[in-house]
Structure formats: C-alpha cells, structure tokens
Amino acid sequence: MEKVITTCPYCGSGCSYFLCVEDGKVIGVAPNRVHPISKGRLCVKGWNAHEFVHHPGRLTKPLIRKGGNLVEASWDEALDMVANRLKGIKEKSGSDSIGVLSSAKCTNEENFVMMKFARAVIGTNNVDHCARLCHASTVAGLARAFGSGAMTNSIDELEHADVILVTGSNTIEQHPLIAVRILKAVRDHGAKLILVDPRSIQLSKFAVIHAKHKPGTDVAWINGVMNVIINEGLADEEFIKTRTEGFEEMKKLVMDYTPEKVEEITTIPADTIREIARTYARASAASIVYSMGITQHTTGTDNVLSCANLAMITGNVGKPSTGVNPLRGQNNVQGACDLGALPVVYSGYQSVADENVRKKFSEAWGAEMPSAPGLTVVEMVNAAADGKLKGLYIMGENPMLSDPDLSHVKEGLEKLEFLVVQDIFLTETAELADVVLPAESYAEKTGTFTNTERRVQLVNKAVEAPGEARPDWDIVSDVARRMGYDMKYNSAEDIMTEINKLTPSYTGITYQRIRENWGLAWPCPTLDHPGTPYLHKDKFTRGLGSFHAVPFKPPAEETDDEYPFILSTGRMLEHFHTGTMTRRSDTLDREVPKGFIEMNPKDADAIGVRNNWPVRVTTRRGSVVTTARVTDGIPEKMLFMPFHFREAAANMLTNPALDPIAKIPEFKVCAATVEGVQ
Ligand code: SF4
C-alpha cells in the first residue's frame, strides 16, 4: 500500500492526512501526526474523504446537450463547442455578457487560471465564486478596518488566548479541528470562552457566558459591549491613540447603545452585555472567532466592522493569540479570493481599478485588461434572468443549491444562451448545462489550497482520474487556446511560478518551500521570508487601523403575522456545502441521510407536530417539505435548517437581499411560517 500525503478537501481548517492507495484505488485515510494543525486528528468528514473519489456517479466523459438530453461526446467536440459558443456570444453581445464562476473547492492554480481566462480571454471582470455567499463581507469589512481581509492570527495561537469570543460559528460542527484548539485553551490553559449565538450548540457547555441574541442584531450587541468598555475605562487608550483613527466618531455613536437599549433590540440581558465587556476587555490576549453567523446578513460588512472595532478598542490586534479570526468555510475559499477569483481584484487583492495594476497584468498576459468592476455571483444570476448575461462558464460550483431563492436561480440559468459546467459529478447545476466537462478530484491532481489561517499547502496526486476526466486548469487552458489565446502550462507548479511573479504576497511561496515547511502563511514576499503567522504587528496593512461608526439596522425581512418565525440556515458536521461529495460518501450519508428543520418544543406543540414528523416551511420565495427536529436548543419562534439536501433545499426559502457593500445574501435571517403535513 502506498501512502500519499495531501490536504483535506472539506473545511477551511486545512488538515493534512495520507490517502492510502492500493491497486490504483484510494482505500482509506491515515492521519498525519506531525502536521501543525491536525496533529494526528481528523473529523468524521476527513476520515471519510476518500469515499466519494471512486463513486460510480463520477463524470468520465464530456457531455453535450442534444435533443434536450445530455449525451457523451469527445473532448474535441465538447471543447470546440464551448470555445465557439463563448466566442460567438462575445462577438455578438460583448465580453461583459459572459460570466465565469470559479471555485473554492479547486486549487489556487486553477482559480488563477480561471480568473486569467475571464480577464485575458473573455475580456471581462465578471468572475466570482462562492466566497460571495460566505465571507465576502469579511473581505470587505476587514480590508476597510485593517487593510487586509483575512484571519489576523493563526490557529495555533488560539490555544494561548486568555479569552476567546466565539460568535456566529458553530465551531465544533463546522471547523472541528479548530474547535479542538479552543477547547484545549479552555480545559488545559484556563481560557474563558464567551459565546454569542442564538442557539444552544456544543460549545455552549464550555462557555462562561452564553448570550443568546435575536438573529440579525449583532451590530447592536457589539456596540453595547463597547459602550460599557468606554464608560468603565476598559479601553486601551494607548493603542487607540498610536495605532488607529476614527475613534471619536465611533465613540459618539456607541454612547447611544446603553446595555438597557441593547437588551431591547437583542434580548441579551443588560447585565450580560456588561459581563461580556468586562471579561473580554480585561484579558491580556483576547481572540474573536466568527463565521457565517456574522457574515451572511444584509449588514454582514457592518457586523465585521463591529468585530474589528471591538478588537481595536481593547488593543487586541497585532499580538499573538488575539485578533479577528473569520473561519473560512471551504477548503480553498481563502485561496480562491487570494488568487483573484473576484470581480474587483486580481491575485493578491490588486485592484482592477488601479491603472498601474491593469498595465502590469496587460503586459504579463498580452491582452487589454477590462477596467469596469464585474458582476458578483447573485448579480450574474439576476443579469441572466434579465437577459443581459448570455453565457456562463461554471467551474466546480453548484448555484442550484448554494444560492438564495433557487426558483429565481433556475429561471436565470435556463434563460442563458449557453451554460457550461465543469465538475466531478453531475450536480443540480450541471443538469441544466449545454455542455458538461469532467474534472479531476483532489485525489487525482497536484496543486495547492490556502486554509483559513492563510497557510498555503500542497495537494498531491494519489490516483489516476476516472475515464477521461482532466485537471480544471488544463481544461480551461484548452478552451482558451481554442478561442485563440495562447495559454499553455505544463503543470500546476508551472502556474505557481506565474503566481509568484505577479502576486507580491505569494512571491516566496514555492512548492519546494511548502513541502519542507508544512505550508507557508502569506504574506510571504521573498524566497527567504518565513511566512506571517499573525498580521498587523507594528502597523496595520493600511497604516492606521480604522474605526467605523456602525449604527444598528434590522434585517431586510422581519417577522409579521403571516410569517411569524425567523428562519436561519447553516451547515452540520456530517455534510458539506451542497452535499456533492458528502452525500456520495456512504458513511456520511448513512449518518444523516435526510434534511430536517430544528424547532422549539413549544412551537411544535402549537402546530401539533412531534419530533420526526413532516412539516411544510414557507417563505415569500417558496415552500419545502422536510422533517421536524424538535429541540429546546433553539429559541421559540426560530427555525434552523441545514442547506445540504436537494430534496429539502433550504435555499428555496432564503432571501436574496444583499449586503450593499459585499453583495452577500442574507442567508441567516428571513421570515417564515411552518405547519404540519398530513
Ligand atoms: Fe477536513 Fe475540516 Fe475535518 Fe479537518 S476539520 S478533517 S479540514 S473537514
């Protein structure tokens, strides 16, 4: 048996393990005891991350729609069709009538190639990926406050914080190996855990304070905590004076948010607000950990800015075991952002609005660079529904389950003149495509993923791909050549060499160095730079840290007599994202074979429903029938639904209203009603 070391393809923790290979098949997973994050441990998804690789449903040949059906075709036929149709649309309707969705599941190299394809070959900045749906507000908010939209500190440092404030993150379920560090800090080092979350979650029993707030009121409780910190003299005045700007304006606004007023908005008792403020501000090293409970709101950017305010007011940035630490959902969502699969930046967050940056990429790629900002994920769907977007090239994304308001998504995708989907399975989105291109899974290719703490790590080829599947970068390059653009790489490492040249924060990150060091955390500007475990040490990336005065705004949709419940959506331990991989893993699918909705026993009683009974959930977007999971872990008049299940698709129900800055939809709050089904 051969053992090939690689990086987990599920969450952003970035665990490492060996794929065990026998007779050309991956037969299991063995943990890597010396890896700095996983340290010999894995969660249930990691232990079973080999199961989908040889699933009989893997795509093995290109498919072309003929007579309404998808039928097998040769690579030449399929790629010529993709190139000719995209070329035709570009000539007839212009470059901006085409969009490209890149992928947080694909490697850094593939994301780089895809964003280059959009800009240099198609000539548009219409390139985005599912970070828009999870952490776009993190990128926007932290860039505004600190100058860098990424986790400020490393996973390792969590273990040594005095206080860890977790909000909007069900860490034990979503990032289990990061949760291990939080629990180690609490149990072995006496750290105090503050949890702010509407539901009782597994972390609750380890928290010294668990404040259950009304969903969508994060800005209010954070302003309330800062009000107490200022009024009780707990702010770090030296840090505020020497390292930040904008404090006075923020202070003026925060003075209105007394704990009593905040209690009215959030339902968190005023004394609990005081307790959070005192516990957090008195720590010598306090770390904020958050995830999509903070970001997936129409006020997502405001929420992130508020977290940044809280860290800066107490001087908890730029030091070990402190900072603002967004836990990124997908294995390579950090990398897809870093490599410029976004409509306003190239790799390394170099702005498309900057003429010098455009000139640099124009010269490197031999093509005129577009200057207009591109469309985001949801905007592309809207433009398709309006008939303005005519062609869409999707690599490894599944908007037919991941995007809000799925009926509208379907309408948009069906209106396109041409849809090409490149993936490892025939996803719900691929079923609608004109051409489907079979790609390699993580076990069949080499490349890099960047985890949530900015650590760039290797993925190594362990087995051959099934049938005729090819690496994503190779397929995209082939389409580019057929469209008349000379894009040629010999390997993923070849692409990394180009990334090194064009991306200052990745300049020192080579395959050899990451092989020797268990990865390197960017910024890594030179070949002898050791990488950067924590950011903003003596100076913020933007110079001074910027406070923002953030007033509380309610969610886009509030409850009323017709829709009296707040519906929130999210993930669970055993499944991942749209279930494309985990629902094709026997072990994981056996653990949780179907979707459900959590509801409080009093609400279940009121509608005459018991645990495991069928219920119909309805919002202004649609209805879904699923199974009630009755639990007092969820407050009255709140519902929670995981979004992994196509037969009970939570995103049939969610609100596509967007954060005005980050354009992230409000997945975490919408108004709903629920009834029993006979
Ligand atoms: Fe994979 Fe995340 Fe589980 Fe680690 S914690 S094994 S990266 S899913």
Side-chain angles (χ1 to χ4, degrees):
M1 187 176 68
E2 194 194 349
K3 283 162 78 182
V4 180
I5 194 136
T6 195
T7 304
C8 182
Y10 287 119
C11 87
S13 301
C15 296
S16 166
Y17 53 73
F18 296 91
L19 283 172
C20 306
V21 180
E22 209 171 73
D23 298 330
K25 297 266 182 235
V26 188
I27 56 162
V29 160
N32 175 356
R33 292 184 198 289
V34 294
H35 187 256
I37 300 158
S38 33
K39 296 187 174 174
R41 292 190 177 96
L42 295 171
C43 79
V44 66
K45 285 195 289 291
W47 275 112
N48 295 288
H50 61 292
E51 289 192 351
F52 70 86
V53 171
H54 303 297
H55 189 279
R58 282 291 302 276
L59 290 169
T60 55
K61 277 183 84 74
L63 304 173
I64 285 179
R65 190 166 298 281
K66 281 187 182 158
N69 297 318
L70 286 168
V71 296
E72 288 186 355
S74 69
W75 271 108
D76 275 339
E77 192 185 357
L79 292 177
D80 279 343
M81 180 180 272
V82 174
N84 291 336
R85 294 292 301 273
L86 292 179
K87 235 162 94 179
I89 294 171
K90 181 178 165 180
E91 279 160 16
K92 195 173 108 206
S93 308
S95 299
D96 288 336
S97 66
I98 298 172
V100 163
L101 291 187
S102 203
S103 175
K105 294 242 75 65
C106 290
T107 61
N108 287 324
E109 294 75 4
E110 287 160 345
N111 278 286
F112 183 81
V113 164
M114 196 52 154
M115 76 97 176
K116 177 175 175 179
F117 175 82
R119 291 173 165 130
V121 183
I122 303 288
T124 182
N125 283 315
N126 290 344
V127 51
D128 205 6
H129 70 287
C130 69
R132 187 68 47 201
L133 308 174
C134 60
H135 273 284
S137 32
T138 289
V139 177
L142 292 188
R144 278 168 170 74
F146 300 158
S148 178
M151 188 161 161
T152 58
N153 290 59
S154 65
I155 295 169
D156 234 5
E157 291 167 52
L158 281 171
E159 221 173 297
H160 304 288
D162 299 327
V163 167
I164 303 174
L165 192 169
V166 177
T167 181
S169 161
N170 187 355
T171 324
I172 292 181
E173 295 226 16
Q174 322 303 0
H175 295 88
L177 267 291
I178 295 178
V180 166
R181 296 307 177 81
I182 294 174
L183 298 186
K184 251 179 130 3
V186 171
R187 291 203 288 216
D188 298 352
H189 304 299
K192 290 179 180 154
L193 173 64
I194 303 170
L195 179 66
V196 183
D197 198 288
R199 296 188 299 152
S200 291
I201 55 177
Q202 291 186 58
L203 272 185
S204 308
K205 50 182 179 289
F206 303 96
V208 289
I209 304 167
H210 178 186
K212 294 185 177 184
H213 66 305
K214 184 178 171 190
T217 61
D218 300 276
V219 165
W221 74 255
I222 297 173
N223 279 348
V225 167
M226 290 195 292
N227 175 297
V228 176
I229 288 172
I230 294 168
N231 282 330
E232 297 194 2
L234 298 170
D236 185 336
E237 282 170 17
E238 181 61 20
F239 187 91
I240 293 168
K241 202 166 103 201
T242 56
R243 299 282 316 268
T244 69
E245 61 188 7
F247 176 71
E248 288 305 323
E249 201 189 331
M250 188 210 67
K251 179 179 168 187
K252 214 166 126 205
L253 176 119
V254 157
M255 284 302 105
D256 280 346
Y257 288 81
T258 60
E260 285 69 25
K261 176 175 168 176
V262 168
E263 178 173 346
E264 278 173 32
I265 302 171
T266 65
T267 73
I268 301 174
D271 280 345
T272 305
I273 294 287
R274 291 189 181 92
E275 214 187 325
I276 294 172
R278 290 166 191 154
T279 308
Y280 177 79
R282 284 178 181 148
S284 57
S287 180
I288 298 174
V289 171
Y290 74 77
S291 196
M292 291 181 281
I294 282 290
T295 58
Q296 289 179 328
H297 294 273
T298 45
T299 56
T301 306
D302 285 351
N303 294 348
V304 173
L305 288 170
S306 298
C307 290
N309 284 343
L310 181 56
M312 286 191 292
I313 200 175
T314 51
N316 275 303
V317 200
K319 295 189 296 190
S321 303
T322 63
V324 180
N325 298 294
L327 305 185
R328 310 296 299 254
Q330 301 241 31
N331 57 323
N332 198 33
V333 70
Q334 182 66 54
C337 292
D338 298 346
L339 274 303
L342 295 170
V344 292
V345 289
Y346 297 93
S347 55
Y349 305 94
Q350 300 169 86
S351 172
V352 300
D354 185 325
E355 206 179 310
N356 291 328
V357 171
R358 285 204 307 277
K359 190 160 169 270
K360 168 174 137 178
F361 280 90
S362 291
E363 283 170 7
W365 291 344
E368 187 70 19
M369 287 296 109
S371 57
L375 298 174
T376 63
V377 168
V378 179
E379 287 173 337
M380 283 190 218
V381 167
N382 291 342
D386 292 345
K388 290 180 190 142
L389 196 83
K390 315 272 186 202
L392 187 57
Y393 187 165
I394 300 179
M395 173 177 81
E397 295 251 320
N398 189 10
M400 272 305 297
L401 270 192
S402 62
D403 288 20
D405 193 1
L406 292 180
S407 306
H408 179 62
V409 177
K410 187 159 188 267
E411 183 199 333
L413 297 185
E414 284 179 342
K415 262 202 173 168
L416 288 166
E417 284 178 19
F418 185 66
L419 173 63
V420 50
V421 175
Q422 185 168 304
D423 215 311
I424 62 172
F425 289 108
L426 192 69
T427 61
E428 291 72 12
T429 307
E431 285 170 11
L432 301 178
D434 298 291
V435 177
V436 179
L437 303 172
E440 291 186 351
S441 79
Y442 83 110
E444 294 139 9
K445 62 188 174 189
T446 297
T448 57
F449 293 156
T450 304
N451 80 344
T452 187
E453 58 171 0
R454 298 170 278 105
R455 185 191 293 260
V456 185
Q457 308 191 94
L458 272 177
V459 178
N460 289 307
K461 180 179 173 108
V463 289
E464 293 301 326
E468 298 175 14
R470 289 165 58 175
D472 288 280
W473 60 264
D474 181 43
I475 304 171
V476 176
S477 307
D478 202 338
V479 174
R481 288 195 298 276
R482 285 166 202 255
M483 290 181 75
Y485 182 89
D486 184 23
M487 191 186 283
K488 181 112 188 68
Y489 300 103
N490 295 317
S491 64
E493 192 167 0
D494 214 9
I495 303 167
M496 184 54 97
T497 306
E498 186 173 325
I499 294 170
N500 296 150
K501 282 190 197 133
L502 291 171
T503 316
S505 53
Y506 273 63
T507 298
I509 297 177
T510 63
Y511 278 29
Q512 190 190 337
R513 293 193 74 209
I514 51 182
R515 209 172 269 129
E516 286 164 1
N517 294 292
W518 294 120
L520 283 167
W522 64 261
C524 183
T526 58
L527 282 171
D528 55 2
H529 192 282
T532 311
Y534 68 91
L535 300 172
H536 318 303
K537 187 163 177 257
D538 299 312
K539 192 173 161 230
F540 283 95
T541 310
R542 71 181 293 284
L544 292 174
S546 176
F547 281 105
H548 289 78
V550 187
F552 165 69
K553 292 184 213 100
E557 195 176 71
E558 295 198 90
T559 54
D560 54 22
D561 290 346
E562 198 181 351
Y563 298 102
F565 289 85
I566 294 174
L567 171 67
S568 194
T569 64
R571 293 190 291 156
M572 54 187 299
L573 175 66
E574 294 82 356
H575 284 292
F576 199 75
H577 211 237
T578 65
T580 305
M581 300 188 302
T582 53
R583 296 205 72 200
R584 290 174 174 93
S585 164
D586 287 347
T587 309
L588 298 172
D589 204 43
R590 201 166 48 235
E591 285 290 316
V592 186
K594 62 177 185 175
F596 57 87
I597 189 158
E598 286 185 3
M599 59 193 305
N600 185 275
K602 287 195 178 137
D603 294 326
D605 266 358
I607 60 166
V609 159
R610 301 248 170 98
N611 197 32
N612 272 329
W613 284 18
V615 289
R616 178 178 292 105
V617 195
T618 304
T619 68
R620 290 186 175 86
R621 271 69 54 193
S623 277
V624 164
V625 173
T626 184
T627 307
R629 183 177 281 187
V630 180
T631 164
D632 52 17
I634 190 161
E636 281 177 64
K637 291 283 180 257
M638 182 178 171
L639 306 166
F640 173 83
M641 204 171 168
F643 66 90
H644 315 292
F645 302 91
R646 65 179 285 169
E647 61 280 13
N651 282 326
M652 289 297 293
L653 307 169
T654 45
N655 188 356
L658 300 179
D659 174 299
I661 299 166
K663 313 277 176 73
I664 189 170
E666 190 145 66
F667 288 113
K668 290 295 178 202
V669 181
C670 71
T673 186
V674 60
E675 60 190 332
V677 177
Q678 294 309 315

